[in-house]
């Protein structure tokens, strides 16, 4: 697939070549572990064993690389499996990483509870402040980790500026692009070295699969990651790869509608007396609005807000919502809401990543926007 094509076209066609045997226009689910060899070592198309490579996963990996504008995509069993592979490829004991003070709770847990036991050190910084990132870097820093927009506070980090700071220190910049998706933001083009995805979210888009991905441009790093992916083994299975590949075909139209609905929701919440603060990068008063407008095509479907009545009132809003389903995760066609303090970010309690107790996070779906506004209005009481 030529990189001349636009995003919407690549989303549908990159990696999706017609099946050579039958002409099937959708890559089949190659539900297989091993492959017949034509004489010892005579592999057909390089396929030997499905942990190392599987044609359905290859289709997804080619698609991911094309959409992020990278050289190589790698698909994993979950976003955290992708992160684990990345950090064990990049880091050895004694190395240091700068991580954001607002990040996916599981990412923080991976550094704080798992990687730290293997001698990997980290500092927490407000990555929306470029000077704070620079100040957190030490002579051992090998990577700066950024999530933008961030989870759950929708903070914005200037990817190009932080890439400069990281590279000046000889460190790599990792961007978790889960909230934006490559349709809204392409970190590699802005100077990032690695893009991380939980494909469970917008890429899959239908709340029916758990998956993760890494995309890189540097060929040496691509080789090292592919080596570790195979050596550690947390690959995406064929059916999961197929579901993500199918979801991606509609990514552009879904993200347009997610953004349209989220904009309406943010507007309603901004005017609501029971809401003390709305966190959405599309709002002109959001501190990261200008940077977001510069590096994103649109502002996406995630909106968080603080409830004036405090923690109990926030929990009540979650309990009263009907169309917004109370649940963790995000990025599916259906709207979800949650209380980060007691749900997704419970593991960050007492840490620098602790979130406000009166916070509610919305994953605004692609239902009719007015129906969503009506549900939020009744939930707020
Ligand atoms: C969900 C999520 C992850 C982790 O991905 P899993 O697929 O759940 O393992 C990482 N980063 C962000 C921003 C997420 O939302």
């Amino acid at each position: 697939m030529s990189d001349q094509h636009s995003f919407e076209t690549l989303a549908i066609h990159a990696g999706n070549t017609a099946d050579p045997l039958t002409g099937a226009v959708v890559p089949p689910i190659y539900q297989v572990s091993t492959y017949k060899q034509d004489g010892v070592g005579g592999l057909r198309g390089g396929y030997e064993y499905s942990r190392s490579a599987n044609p359905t996963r290859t289709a997804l990996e080619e698609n991911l690389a094309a959409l992020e504008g990278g050289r190589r995509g790698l698909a994993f069993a979950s976003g955290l499996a992708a992160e684990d592979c990345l950090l064990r490829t990049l880091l050895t004991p004694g190395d240091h990483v700068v991580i954001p003070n607002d990040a996916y709770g599981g990412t923080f847990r991976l550094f704080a509870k798992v990687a730290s036991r293997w001698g990997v050190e980290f500092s927490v910084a407000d990555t929306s402040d470029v000077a704070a990132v620079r100040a957190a870097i030490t002579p051992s820093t090998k990577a700066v980790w950024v999530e933008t927009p961030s989870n759950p506070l929708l903070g914005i980090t200037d990817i190009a500026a932080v890439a400069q700071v990281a590279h000046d220190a000889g460190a790599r910049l990792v961007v978790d692009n889960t909230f934006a998706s490559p349709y809204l933001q392409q970190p590699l083009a802005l100077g990032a070295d690695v893009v991380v995805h939980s494909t469970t979210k917008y890429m899959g888009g239908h709340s029916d699969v758990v998956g993760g991905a890494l995309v890189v441009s540097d060929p040496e790093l691509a080789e090292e990651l592919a080596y570790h992916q195979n050596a550690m083994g947390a690959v995406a299975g064929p059916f999961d790869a197929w579901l993500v590949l199918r979801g991606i075909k509609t990514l552009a139209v879904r993200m347009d509608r997610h953004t349209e609905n989220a904009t309406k929701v943010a507007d309603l919440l901004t005017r609501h007396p029971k809401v003390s603060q709305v966190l959405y990068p599309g709002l002109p008063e959001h501190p990261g609005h200008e940077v977001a407008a510069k590096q994103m095509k649109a502002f996406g479907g995630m909106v968080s807000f603080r409830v004036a009545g405090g923690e109990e009132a926030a929990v009540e809003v979650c309990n009263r919502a009907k169309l917004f389903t109370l649940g963790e995760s995000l990025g599916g066609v259906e709207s979800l809401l949650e209380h980060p303090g007691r749900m997704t970010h419970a593991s960050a309690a007492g840490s620098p990543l602790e979130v406000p107790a009166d916070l509610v996070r919305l994953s605004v779906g692609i239902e009719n926007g007015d129906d969503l506004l009506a549900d939020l209005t009744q939930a707020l009481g």
Side-chain angles (χ1 to χ4, degrees):
M1 195 56 345
S2 130
D3 349 313
Q4 304 304 316
H5 286 112
S6 57
F7 185 92
E8 294 85 343
T9 305
L10 289 173
I12 292 166
H13 292 286
N16 286 275
T17 41
D19 178 48
L21 196 61
T22 63
V25 296
V26 170
I29 304 166
Y30 283 90
Q31 193 67 43
V32 61
S33 61
T34 192
Y35 304 82
K36 175 181 162 60
Q37 303 193 3
D38 297 317
V40 174
L43 307 182
R44 300 185 191 177
Y47 295 102
E48 180 176 25
Y49 181 63
S50 280
R51 170 165 36 72
S52 312
N54 171 283
T56 314
R57 197 174 93 223
T58 302
L60 171 60
E61 292 179 334
E62 286 178 2
N63 183 273
L64 291 165
L67 295 193
E68 287 288 1
R71 182 184 301 260
R72 182 92 184 241
L74 298 158
F76 292 84
S78 70
L80 279 172
E83 294 185 18
D84 180 36
C85 178
L86 174 62
L87 66 87
R88 285 201 267 171
T89 302
L90 290 184
L91 309 168
T92 51
D95 287 346
H96 174 265
V97 186
V98 178
I99 65 166
N101 67 349
D102 179 29
Y104 177 67
T107 299
F108 177 70
R109 184 177 56 202
L110 184 64
F111 280 103
K113 304 288 187 199
V114 182
S116 63
R117 294 180 57 216
W118 300 89
V120 169
E121 286 156 22
F122 68 92
S123 309
V124 174
D126 173 1
T127 59
S128 69
D129 176 355
V130 180
V133 174
R134 193 180 289 112
I137 287 176
T138 76
S140 321
T141 303
K142 290 282 160 42
V144 175
W145 192 286
V146 156
E147 213 183 285
T148 181
S150 67
N151 181 2
L153 297 173
L154 283 310
I156 298 294
T157 293
D158 186 330
I159 296 172
V162 171
Q164 188 68 54
V165 168
H167 295 162
D168 285 350
R172 284 187 162 116
L173 177 64
V174 177
V175 176
D176 184 332
N177 204 26
T178 299
F179 268 36
S181 89
Y183 177 59
L184 299 184
Q185 174 174 280
Q186 304 200 326
L188 296 176
L190 295 166
D193 301 286
V194 184
V195 171
V196 175
H197 276 285
S198 169
T199 54
T200 313
K201 317 294 170 48
Y202 286 108
M203 303 290 259
H206 296 74
S207 306
D208 54 10
V209 62
V210 170
L214 299 175
V215 186
V216 296
S217 289
D218 174 35
E220 252 173 69
L221 180 58
E223 277 314 309
E224 284 174 45
L225 287 168
Y227 179 86
H228 281 81
Q229 181 193 39
N230 180 52
M232 286 154 50
V235 295
F239 184 46
D240 289 356
W242 186 88
L243 281 171
V244 174
L245 194 59
R246 183 172 74 154
I248 287 173
K249 289 174 188 172
T250 55
L251 180 66
V253 285
R254 284 187 287 110
M255 293 314 292
D256 282 342
R257 175 66 84 87
H258 282 298
T259 301
E260 187 187 319
N261 281 349
T263 303
K264 288 183 187 163
V265 163
D267 182 51
L268 172 99
L269 294 172
T270 303
R271 288 181 285 105
H272 201 286
K274 294 199 175 156
V275 173
S276 58
Q277 192 186 6
V278 183
L279 307 170
Y280 184 61
L283 295 171
E285 62 267 29
H286 186 289
H289 178 70
E290 268 175 41
V291 173
K294 183 181 74 175
Q295 68 188 17
M296 299 176 76
K297 182 184 167 82
F299 303 103
M302 298 300 295
V303 179
S304 292
F305 63 98
R306 300 180 70 172
V307 180
E311 179 168 9
E312 287 310 319
V315 168
E316 269 310 298
V317 171
C318 293
N319 290 339
R320 274 197 301 262
K322 295 195 179 92
L323 189 51
F324 277 83
T325 302
L326 177 60
E328 301 195 355
S329 199
L330 60 109
V333 292
E334 60 288 291
S335 293
L336 298 175
L337 94 172
E338 65 125 359
H339 184 268
R342 292 194 191 172
M343 295 169 63
T344 50
H345 290 66
S347 66
S351 81
L353 279 82
E354 184 167 302
V355 297
D358 57 6
L359 192 75
V360 174
R361 188 190 75 182
L362 305 176
S363 171
V364 181
I366 64 170
E367 299 95 335
N368 177 282
D370 293 334
D371 291 344
L372 297 177
L373 299 186
D375 188 44
L376 284 175
T377 303
Q378 73 76 25
L380 282 159

